[in-house]
Amino acid sequence: MSYSYALRCRECAREYPLDPIFSCEFCFGPLEVAYDYEAIAANTTRESIEAGPPTLWRYANLLPCDVDYKVDIGTGFTPLIKADCLAEAVGLDTLWVKNDTVNPTWSFKDRVVSVAIARARQFGFEAMACASTGNLANSVAAHSAAAGMDCFVFIPDDLEQGKVVGSGIYDPTLVMIEGSYDDVNRLCTEIAANRPWAFVNINVRPYYAEGSRTIGFEIAEQLGWRAPDHIVSPMASGSLYTKIWKGLQEFHKIGLIEEPTTRMSGAQAEGCSPIATAYEAGTLNFVPQKPNTIARSLAIGNPADGYYALKTMEETGGAAAMVTDVEIVEGIKLLAKTEGIFAETAGGVTVAALRKLVASGKISRDEETVVVITGGGLKTIEAVADKVSAPLRIPARLEKFDAALAARDVAPVAVGV
Ligand SMILES: *Cc1c(COP(=O)(O)O)cnc(C)c1O
Ligand SMILES: [Zn+2]
């Protein structure tokens, strides 16, 4: 059972039944799920959540789908790690890493797909599909395989090997488009109008997007039922970023936490920074860009939720930062070296942006901060392959090892950035 009862236009507030639709017939605004928060509050306590499974399904009362339709491959309730070494490196007193690299397909996209596929099955769809920058394709393919559903995933043709193989292994129909993500998305919107498929980020997008709130829920629960002072999240379409904030507000609305005063900051790569550029220009209206960055998972030049992300930034007093490809690699290496977490390029963007925000005073030292790391590094190994310490290559003989170690101590062979 679900406490969602309608889709509501984010612009004109007209309500629609819970159907596989995504935009308002009157004003073309995006639709968002509406819930009966009184009923949720009456049926949800800290204790009832704590007694739930160690996955995002512990928040079932707050999800827009019936749990009977769930496809559970173990998504969510990922670790929140106290990051003292990274805190010191960037200049903060208290920092936490929300480590979403450990989801079943190694990115936070398993959250949105868990919700989308459950709702799609509830609607009676027999095939799943998506337009993806890579991680979404991996997750849709995996969940469809586990559900025994047909699957069609569409990706741009410049993705990393780890993301192409990371979809192909689940045996979907994998379509590579000659163009950018924005081209992929445009084509998929046309296909979605003609095929009876659940495109997770098109016709079932309102349900899909709700899955990202679970990061906000988890951060609050794992901090001991309270919100942090500051959160830094990566932004592609801007959906994740806005939904983390929505999750914190909802936890307050149903009486689980005090009113959050969290400042929400967002991270983008300089080579694809429509939201951060608009923030710097002091406007809520971004200008689309043609992406050119190693952070391919964030390479959305025309972000669907860019406007709402900028509104959230304004409302919460957060900021945006953009970082270069060189800084992205440094961010990946810094997180790995300080906390033992290997993130993909989006994680490098987020850590590098965190560092910039602290250095520029946008985050002050005494703000308790959570940095959201959304994907695992083995998927984007190209970005760092030639920028890590080279191994000592020796014959299997003790004296060769001793000699190699002595030689390294004289002249380190580490390859820098
Ligand atoms: C998709 C993605 C994001 C951002 O998602 P949006 O909701 O579109 O902003 C962040 N990190 C990773 C690793 C992703 O795959
Ligand atoms: Zn409307």
Side-chain angles (χ1 to χ4, degrees):
M1 123 127 232
S2 167
Y3 297 102
S4 53
Y5 69 87
L7 292 179
R8 186 184 300 134
C9 176
R10 273 164 101 167
E11 289 305 312
C12 74
R14 273 194 178 79
E15 288 191 357
Y16 295 84
L18 290 166
D19 287 334
I21 52 173
F22 60 102
S23 78
C24 176
E25 284 173 15
F26 291 86
C27 75
F28 302 105
L31 302 180
E32 190 170 51
V33 176
Y35 300 89
D36 180 348
Y37 289 109
E38 266 178 42
I40 296 174
N43 290 283
T44 312
T45 61
R46 293 176 177 181
E47 292 71 27
S48 71
I49 289 173
E50 284 164 355
T55 65
L56 55 67
W57 297 106
R58 68 204 280 108
Y59 310 109
N61 282 356
L62 290 129
L63 297 178
C65 52
D66 187 326
V67 289
D68 293 345
Y69 294 91
K70 76 171 185 245
V71 180
D72 186 0
I73 57 174
T75 296
F77 212 54
T78 58
L80 182 73
I81 292 163
K82 184 100 181 307
D84 292 338
C85 298
L86 182 59
E88 191 175 340
V90 300
L92 286 173
D93 291 338
T94 311
L95 177 66
W96 303 84
V97 171
K98 182 60 174 164
N99 183 12
D100 249 29
T101 69
V102 299
N103 276 307
T105 70
W106 307 285
S107 91
F108 98 92
K109 291 295 198 303
D110 289 324
R111 298 178 182 274
V112 282
V113 172
S114 291
V115 175
I117 195 170
R119 190 71 213 195
R121 278 158 41 102
Q122 196 173 341
F123 283 137
F125 283 103
E126 289 167 7
M128 301 301 298
C130 71
S132 174
T133 56
N135 284 320
L136 186 61
N138 297 174
S139 185
V140 170
H143 283 82
S144 300
M149 296 172 82
D150 282 340
C151 179
F152 302 84
V153 295
F154 298 77
I155 54 176
D157 64 355
D158 65 349
L159 289 190
E160 305 91 343
Q161 182 80 348
K163 290 194 183 150
V164 178
V165 176
S167 287
I169 195 67
Y170 306 108
D171 204 21
T173 300
L174 179 58
V175 186
M176 211 180 246
I177 307 292
E178 296 158 5
S180 69
Y181 170 80
D182 299 286
D183 298 316
V184 176
N185 191 45
R186 206 172 321 112
L187 173 66
C188 285
T189 306
E190 289 176 50
I191 297 172
N194 294 312
R195 302 273 176 178
W197 302 342
F199 270 88
V200 299
N201 54 342
I202 301 175
N203 53 344
V204 294
R205 184 175 178 89
Y207 310 94
Y208 151 100
E210 294 295 283
S212 292
R213 296 143 66 239
T214 58
I215 291 192
F217 299 157
E218 289 177 18
I219 289 171
E221 179 180 351
Q222 290 169 321
L223 284 177
W225 301 103
R226 62 189 180 82
D229 298 326
H230 213 122
I231 294 178
V232 182
S233 148
M235 303 184 294
S237 73
S239 178
L240 164 68
Y241 168 86
T242 56
K243 293 291 180 174
I244 292 172
W245 175 235
K246 184 176 181 225
L248 293 177
Q249 289 175 296
E250 289 173 324
F251 255 24
H252 168 63
K253 202 173 291 188
I254 63 172
L256 296 182
I257 61 171
E258 299 282 303
E259 185 162 12
T261 54
T262 309
R263 296 167 67 211
M264 296 291 306
S265 287
Q268 292 204 296
E270 220 171 84
C272 183
S273 53
I275 303 173
T277 301
Y279 165 80
E280 286 185 357
T283 169
L284 293 179
N285 298 304
F286 65 86
V287 180
Q289 293 180 358
K290 196 170 183 311
N292 179 20
T293 169
I294 60 168
R296 303 200 201 290
S297 54
L298 303 182
I300 297 184
N302 188 10
D305 290 278
Y307 169 74
Y308 297 103
L310 287 158
K311 285 224 313 202
T312 297
M313 221 167 270
E314 184 178 72
E315 179 189 336
T316 65
M322 56 176 107
V323 298
T324 65
D325 283 359
V326 169
E327 290 170 325
I328 293 169
V329 172
E330 287 170 354
I332 294 173
K333 292 177 74 173
L334 180 63
L335 178 64
K337 217 174 133 168
T338 53
E339 299 300 333
I341 296 170
F342 183 15
E344 71 142 87
T345 46
V349 169
T350 312
V351 169
L354 167 73
R355 186 147 80 167
K356 272 198 172 167
L357 290 165
V358 176
S360 66
K362 297 253 169 61
I363 302 176
S364 56
R365 169 173 273 283
D366 61 354
E367 281 182 275
E368 180 180 34
T369 301
V370 176
V371 64
V372 182
I373 301 301
T374 48
L378 289 175
K379 289 204 216 184
T380 62
I381 216 150
E382 297 88 340
V384 290
D386 59 352
K387 299 188 175 70
V388 296
S389 309
L392 301 171
R393 193 183 178 91
I394 52 164
R397 293 217 311 276
L398 181 58
E399 73 270 19
K400 292 290 184 191
F401 173 68
D402 291 341
L405 208 57
R408 190 204 57 174
D409 290 343
V410 175
V413 289
V415 181
V417 178

